[in-house]
Amino acid sequence: MNVLEIKNVKKSFNDSQLHVLKDISLTVAQGEVVAIIGPSGSGKSTLLRCATLLTQMDSGDLLYSGDYAARNNDQGVSVYADKQQLKKIRSRFGLVFQNFNLFPHFSVLKNLTDAPIHVLGRSKEEAEKKAMSLLEKMGLADKADAYPCQLSGGQQQRVAIARALAMEPEILFFDEPTSALDPELTGEILKVIRQLAEEHMTMVIVTHEMSFARDVADRVIFMDGGVIVEQGDPKEVISNPKEERTRQFLSRFAQN
């Protein structure tokens, strides 16, 4: 079953002068890990923002487990579902940002329990039990009473991942989850994502970590200029790309 379906999505900015997404279509099956790679400005983050309802598509369809979040009308314009349907759909995905986006005035534990209590209607006891289990999984059980400012960047990002998991999403999106971290802390986060992949968590990961994408993803998508240039088996796409544009991107990356 496809957890996510994106069909013929287009998105422009600056009164249609800047075409960021040009007829993008992709599906993500249950348990699949998809890595999206490509140069800056290729449309990767905009695609993620459209998929997570942070940016409205100009045209195209967006479905979660067969339910429409948006679909094209007769004029070829995306029309979004009503508030109740969108609220239901938002509960199906989690998004981990580059810069953590934790509530600075909440403790680590409250960062994890606030949404399950107020959005999912969980009891405080149930939410805290789940949160502590997730913090233990992240190696942060001793940080439950700490505040974000007292944590390292790697610890904050692990809390952000735990917070997303606390909502029990069907699919997790990561937008460059290691870009704000120094190389020493990057390994902490990649280890956590690798563990989630082993547990068959459905994930879409925008990343510049090529070796990680090759080793962890089930499929790699290379984007450039608002289109999907190439996609397929990670080892094939990264080690033996078919398209010249993919080869150019990866050769420059390898030199760095």
Side-chain angles (χ1 to χ4, degrees), residues 133-176:
S133 171
L134 287 167
L135 288 175
E136 192 169 331
K137 182 176 183 175
M138 300 290 159
L140 295 171
D142 60 332
K143 302 294 185 184
D145 296 325
Y147 285 81
C149 65
Q150 298 171 305
L151 304 179
S152 71
Q155 289 170 331
Q156 289 186 61
Q157 192 61 297
R158 279 184 280 160
V159 172
I161 294 171
R163 181 179 64 178
L165 290 170
M167 295 296 286
E168 299 175 6
E170 295 176 10
I171 182 171
L172 262 185
F173 294 92
F174 292 87
D175 187 8
E176 299 282 8

Side-chain angles (χ1 to χ4, degrees), residues 42-66:
S42 59
K44 307 184 302 292
S45 291
T46 300
L47 178 61
L48 232 60
R49 290 182 64 83
C50 287
T52 55
L53 304 174
L54 293 173
T55 295
Q56 281 208 353
M57 309 177 301
D58 296 333
S59 62
D61 299 341
L62 175 63
L63 299 87
Y64 279 89
S65 300

